[in-house]
Amino acid sequence: MAYFPKGFLWGGATAANQYEGAYNEDGKGLSIQDICPHGIKGELTQEPTKDNLKLIATDFYHRYEEDIRLMAEMGFKVFRMSIAWTRIFPLGDEETPNEKGLAFYDRVFDTCRQYGIEPLVTLSHYETPLHLARTYDGWRDRRMIQFFERYAKTVFTRYRDKVKLWLTFNEINSALSCPFLSAGVLTPKDKLSEKDLWQILHNECVAGALAVRLCHEIIPDAKIGCMMIETPVYPYTCNPDDLLALLEYEHRTDTILDLQAKGRYPKHALRRMERAGYCLDMGEEDLRILAENPVDFISLSYYMSKCLSAAPENKGKTVSGNVLSGGLKNPYLQVTEWGWQIDPKGLRYVLNRLYDRYELPLFVVENGLGAIDQLVTDENGEKTVLDDYRIAYLNEHLHQLSQAIELDGVDVMGYTSWGCIDLVSASTAELRKRYGYVYVDRNDDGSGTLARYRKKSFYWYRDVIGSNGEIIHASEEV
Ligand code: BGP
């Protein structure tokens, strides 16, 4: 039996570009995802092409009522979703928003409220407007700050009575490794300097702090958090050089979180820039804006851990199949079909580490198992998926999360598992990599009816929420 506090926010998470489809309906502009059909390692296209599954995705745009009803059936308290910036400002730098885009999210939030589900809304989830990417090279240009501010102000004002939980940038720290996906930067990563990368992060963090300020001004009873991809790192061996490699890695991530949660650059970051001989381009007010507007809480995605080695022969090595994250194989851990190392205890560790450092409430807003599901017909003639592997994965992670709360005293606000209804994957842009409690009939070749089917995990998660997590247990307790 596990412990979760009263009022714990149970739910699921999605992102507009992977879920909504309707990529050019009702005045929506193109985002970088519309020309990125094959994920982070694939080639970009000039125009949207038919093989891009995200153009239709799993059609939340037309099926939101059915989907929110399914979420309500599972007992969701909260639904994490993102607003597509290009539905509100199709180009990104214009002054007047697109009313039809705003009206769509009114309908979605009203439906959530009708079912007693609190929306948790990400302002920017991997879908910079394409025009901003092409004209400004995305977040390399500090003019992005004012465009983002206008967008944030527009949606805070419009939805002030409907949305009380907000997130700024999805996995903001991924801009260091994937500047295109994360920050809309079209210049290839190998052409970007260290300064360029930190400039991108600086611009985004200042924009994030301005969003925090606006949110507090416009919706005083709202809470707004940042969102980090958290991947705990182990030294590959007990060689002290591996420990120093880990320290270097953690310093980089800590810098990004310090900017958002403490509102300042840590000393090691300032020293690193000094040693490298560059200064970031900053506006006069930037440091004050950062200092005055730290986030209310820290949210994170958690999927895997990795091992780091300082040895030159290990440089660039990664676990087979993992296109997202470098790092060597941990002999103590299993991997998913996509080479992601399954490490539930790593979740307890990162929650502790974050809470020790920042003492802010935490929110796990992504976690889950991407797997190939088999649709079968059960004894009642209903189509379903017998996804015991997913239940086992989620149970283990939730058990470790409850240990962090119960044994270590970490303050965790809630848990939204990733891709609660099947959607297109981010890193490889596939549909066969599924995370959901609900199966959506759509395949990698684009075929399928888009019909929804409840998986075995659907009923399991309903019972988890219904018992406020009491049915979660350590695997040895089975
Ligand atoms: C995170 C992203 C999500 C999501 C998830 C799973 O990095 O925030 O958008 O998709 O990872 O990754 P994938 O879809 O590649 O399996």
Side-chain angles (χ1 to χ4, degrees), residues 15 18 80 125-126 170-171 227 229 301 303 324 340 366 418 423-428 433 435:
Q18 294 166 257
R80 177 180 176 226
H125 192 131
Y126 289 171
N170 182 62
E171 295 185 338
M227 199 301 202
I229 181 167
S301 65
Y303 293 93
L324 195 65
W340 294 18
E366 280 188 35
W418 176 248
L423 39 66
V424 183
S425 77
S427 55
T428 47
K433 187 182 191 190
Y435 286 87

Side-chain angles (χ1 to χ4, degrees), residues 57-102:
T58 47
D59 201 29
F60 178 71
Y61 195 77
H62 300 110
R63 290 160 200 262
Y64 64 91
E65 284 176 302
E66 178 183 1
D67 285 2
I68 295 169
R69 206 177 321 121
L70 285 162
M71 294 174 200
E73 201 181 313
M74 282 184 274
F76 277 26
K77 313 285 180 218
V78 65
F79 167 39
R80 177 180 176 226
M81 52 174 280
S82 68
I83 294 179
W85 187 345
T86 49
R87 282 198 199 284
I88 312 301
F89 288 99
L91 296 173
D93 58 0
E94 64 272 71
E95 307 231 333
T96 317
N98 169 33
E99 175 53 34
K100 283 191 173 165
L102 287 165

Side-chain angles (χ1 to χ4, degrees), residues 395-428:
N395 174 72
E396 277 302 297
H397 284 78
L398 281 167
H399 179 251
Q400 291 302 325
L401 193 157
S402 81
Q403 299 272 286
I405 297 173
E406 191 183 359
L407 304 185
D408 310 324
V410 178
D411 181 1
V412 186
M413 298 163 65
Y415 174 85
T416 57
S417 61
W418 176 248
C420 47
I421 295 188
D422 286 346
L423 39 66
V424 183
S425 77
S427 55
T428 47

Side-chain angles (χ1 to χ4, degrees), residues 60-324:
F60 178 71
Y61 195 77
H62 300 110
R63 290 160 200 262
Y64 64 91
E65 284 176 302
E66 178 183 1
D67 285 2
I68 295 169
R69 206 177 321 121
L70 285 162
M71 294 174 200
E73 201 181 313
M74 282 184 274
F76 277 26
K77 313 285 180 218
V78 65
F79 167 39
R80 177 180 176 226
M81 52 174 280
S82 68
I83 294 179
W85 187 345
T86 49
R87 282 198 199 284
I88 312 301
F89 288 99
L91 296 173
D93 58 0
E94 64 272 71
E95 307 231 333
T96 317
N98 169 33
E99 175 53 34
K100 283 191 173 165
L102 287 165
F104 168 65
Y105 294 107
D106 271 325
R107 296 195 293 277
V108 171
F109 300 144
D110 289 343
T111 310
C112 287
R113 296 237 159 255
Q114 189 189 323
Y115 286 102
I117 297 173
E118 193 73 41
L120 163 63
V121 177
T122 317
L123 289 168
S124 179
H125 192 131
Y126 289 171
E127 52 197 320
T128 306
L130 183 58
H131 169 76
L132 298 184
R134 286 188 171 152
T135 314
Y136 303 92
D137 209 11
W139 283 96
R140 272 184 84 188
D141 190 316
R142 64 176 284 125
R143 281 173 291 180
M144 289 290 284
I145 298 172
Q146 85 207 41
F147 306 142
F148 185 77
E149 212 187 339
R150 188 183 301 145
Y151 160 57
K153 189 172 182 186
T154 304
V155 295
F156 292 151
T157 308
R158 175 76 170 221
Y159 307 123
R160 70 207 304 167
D161 297 324
K162 302 182 183 185
V163 180
K164 305 292 179 183
L165 288 171
W166 295 89
L167 301 176
T168 52
F169 296 95
N170 182 62
E171 295 185 338
I172 187 168
N173 46 330
S174 64
L176 285 182
S177 51
C178 304
F180 169 72
L181 180 82
S182 189
V185 174
L186 278 166
T187 302
K189 189 177 165 226
D190 56 8
K191 301 266 178 324
L192 296 172
S193 65
E194 181 75 6
K195 175 185 168 181
D196 291 333
L197 290 172
W198 284 103
Q199 189 68 53
I200 292 166
L201 260 317
H202 176 83
N203 295 343
E204 286 195 279
C205 286
V206 172
L210 286 167
V212 170
R213 182 162 85 189
L214 281 169
C215 183
H216 288 157
E217 279 167 12
I218 299 170
I219 327 177
D221 58 341
K223 292 209 181 325
I224 180 161
C226 57
M227 199 301 202
M228 298 282 288
I229 181 167
E230 284 295 330
T231 310
V233 176
Y234 298 76
Y236 190 51
T237 69
C238 47
N239 183 328
D241 286 338
D242 287 356
L243 189 65
L244 288 182
L246 177 144
L247 182 71
E248 164 73 17
Y249 174 90
E250 288 187 338
H251 272 172
R252 291 166 74 86
T253 313
D254 292 345
T255 301
I256 301 165
L257 200 41
D258 282 8
L259 284 171
Q260 299 170 95
K262 293 183 175 168
R264 60 179 150 78
Y265 279 93
K267 279 212 171 133
H268 53 75
L270 298 171
R271 187 74 192 111
R272 187 179 56 232
M273 292 183 222
E274 201 179 8
R275 279 192 292 126
Y278 68 84
C279 290
L280 295 179
D281 303 323
M282 291 197 198
E284 258 174 49
E285 302 276 275
D286 286 8
L287 292 178
R288 192 174 59 79
I289 292 167
L290 287 166
E292 288 178 359
N293 300 288
V295 290
D296 299 318
F297 65 95
I298 295 169
S299 80
L300 58 137
S301 65
Y302 181 81
Y303 293 93
M304 62 187 132
S305 61
K306 63 183 181 185
C307 297
L308 271 193
S309 162
E313 65 271 21
N314 289 329
K315 198 163 188 271
K317 277 195 194 159
T318 186
V319 183
S320 154
N322 190 333
V323 299
L324 195 65

